[in-house]
Amino acid sequence: MRQTPANDRQSKRERAWPIAPPSPSDLPAGEYVAAYQGAERGQWFSQKKVRLLFEIVDPASCAGIQVPLFATLDAQSSPRSKYFALWVKATGSWPARGDRMSPLVFRGYWRVRIAWITPKSGGHPMPQVVELLEREAGGV
C-alpha cells in the first residue's frame, strides 16, 4: 500500500509517542542478563557519579528495557569509590599506575541484580542495577 501524506503524518505521530517507563510488573526485582550500552558522567542524587546503562537481553519477556547503574566517583578514583570497585571487578585486577579507568571495560554481557529504588527526595520508584554479579560474555 502506497503511503499518502495523511497516512505518513499519522504514522509519524504514532512513532513520536514516548514509551512509558517500566513498572515492577514489567521488570520484577531479581537477576537478569544485560548488555552494557554506555556511560555518562554527571551529578545525580547530589553527588558526582557515573551512570552505566545496561539493556536487558534475557529473559526475552524483559528484553530491551534499559536500566542504569549509578556509581560514585571521587577526585582520584580511590579504592573507596563504587566505580573503582566495579572497574576492578570488570577487569579482574587493580589498575596499574597511570591507567585510565575507562568505562569501556564494562562492554559485553553481564548477569546483574536489579532492584526498585525510590529516590530519597520522593517520586516514583525506578529500576536500577544494584550489583554486577558476573560477566557472561564479551568484554575485556
Side-chain angles (χ1 to χ4, degrees):
M1 177 176 155
R2 188 174 172 328
Q3 288 280 9
T4 64
N7 287 344
D8 192 37
R9 280 194 305 268
Q10 182 181 2
S11 64
K12 284 181 182 177
R13 275 196 311 255
E14 288 171 0
R15 287 190 300 255
W17 281 94
I19 297 173
S23 68
S25 62
D26 298 329
L27 184 69
E31 291 184 15
Y32 295 87
V33 175
Y36 173 74
Q37 296 296 309
E40 177 184 9
R41 285 178 169 225
Q43 187 92 5
W44 287 279
F45 315 111
S46 303
Q47 290 183 323
K48 284 185 180 178
K49 294 185 182 264
V50 63
R51 179 177 67 175
L52 304 172
L53 190 60
F54 291 87
E55 185 174 308
I56 305 296
V57 294
D58 188 48
S61 61
C62 299
I65 297 175
Q66 293 190 336
V67 184
L69 185 159
F70 291 97
T72 54
L73 293 171
D74 56 16
Q76 286 82 29
S77 293
S78 76
R80 292 185 309 251
S81 76
K82 183 175 179 180
Y83 182 77
F84 187 97
L86 290 169
W87 193 90
V88 168
K89 185 171 198 164
T91 60
S93 64
W94 279 51
R97 187 172 192 93
D99 271 356
R100 182 170 177 261
M101 294 179 62
S102 168
L104 295 177
V105 299
F106 297 101
R107 285 185 294 199
Y109 297 89
W110 290 85
R111 179 160 300 282
V112 299
R113 184 178 322 281
I114 293 183
W116 282 81
I117 309 297
T118 302
K120 291 178 185 173
S121 61
H124 297 289
M126 57 189 238
Q128 287 186 18
V129 174
V130 292
E131 185 178 2
L132 293 179
L133 299 171
E134 65 182 337
R135 188 183 299 273
E136 289 286 317
V140 178

